[in-house]
Amino acid sequence: MVKSRFGKNLPLGILVSMIAYLGGCTETPTNAQLEVWRKEAIARNAKIVAEETKKKQQNEWNLFIQGHTATGQTETLNWSQLQDLATENIKTIDGNNIIDPTEVFDFTGIPAKSLIKKFANQREITEITFVCYDAYRVTINVEDLLKYPIILAIAKDGQPIPRQQGGPIYLIFPYSQYPDLRTKYDDEMWAFYVTHVIFGTEKAKISIGKRELNLADLDQLPQVNLTQNVGYRVWWPSDQVKLYGVRLRDVLRLANVNLNTMNSVVVRGKPAVHRRITQPIELATEDILKCDILLATRWGEEKQLIPAKMGGPITLAFGDDCPNTTKNQRWVTFVEELIPQL
Ligand SMILES: Nc1nc2c(c(=O)[nH]1)N[C@H]1C(S)=C(S)[C@@H](COP(=O)(O)O)O[C@H]1N2
Ligand SMILES: [Mo]
């Protein structure tokens, strides 16, 4: 864009045509003609603004690498770092292209293998979980990620990947090159809008104001278990499941939150949909005192820790004794933070 003497930002194209008009023509344009040009200029401008906005959204997309990282810290990759890591091209059909399932695209992206080599504490992990903006997640064996060029694509045929096609970061599998891969990792595994890569499962940790509680802290509280259907989105049994954990009210008390003055608590999970300021997951103190709202850390007959594959190590669960309005709220996975509201 060029700064015009009118003080507004005008796209170069409009300026060039204005200059061409001023210099080249002798006839005065009619009002109707001016109106057409004006409308064309507005349309062009709107298109440029829309493209800039899209580019901006993509440029602001980060990828967080967590769990058993080599440094023990979260690694945050910004868009330009992601572009530098996007060294692999994979020509393949798109598992989710229902219009023409045979159409081959040229995807450019970051090989999962290079993320492992660069950032993982490889001895500690057997699987990696990819978490998406919408709380969807997929988990893949490290062995397969090292064996096959499974990539986090950031471009498709040289163009940024639109949201409705899984962008800006889309986990893709080389189906065309390795057709057998499809039986092991079907279309469901092509994860859209990936935001986090988790090596193994993180250590349980939850922050409440300035307090941070770990698994040992939670295990000291009275233990509760539930056997019921769960409200998590994917990769949980669809029938009755046993969940073990602690009551939210006990966790809040342990963190010295005064439940007499707290109005509600906002529960934040890792996935971006669980963190929206405009649509918080907010539980009223009244409900927290009345029914079993749990932070679950274990599940199943063997009372195993909840793995990243299932949204662990900490998930939010509602007991059957909770009113429908409460238990029909989102069952938050990867719970990270409780924010008391006074
Ligand atoms: N982020 C994200 N990725 C996703 C999904 C999703 O809901 N969210 N659905 C999965 C499933 S179950 C399928 S079959 C394909 C296509 O999903 P769609 O039919 O909702 O487009 O994308 C997969 N990737
Ligand atoms: Mo699906």
Side-chain angles (χ1 to χ4, degrees), residues 194-205:
V194 175
T195 53
H196 295 74
V197 175
I198 319 279
F199 295 134
T201 297
E202 292 168 282
K203 283 210 185 78
K205 190 175 82 181

Side-chain angles (χ1 to χ4, degrees), residues 201-217:
T201 297
E202 292 168 282
K203 283 210 185 78
K205 190 175 82 181
I206 183 160
S207 52
I208 305 140
K210 288 189 186 75
R211 284 293 302 267
E212 201 172 271
L213 303 178
N214 61 25
L215 188 62
D217 297 324

Side-chain angles (χ1 to χ4, degrees), residues 63-67 69 73-77 115 119 195-199:
L63 182 69
F64 301 97
I65 309 207
Q66 299 179 309
T69 57
Q73 306 287 318
T74 295
E75 304 285 345
T76 305
L77 300 175
L115 291 181
F119 300 113
T195 53
H196 295 74
V197 175
I198 319 279
F199 295 134

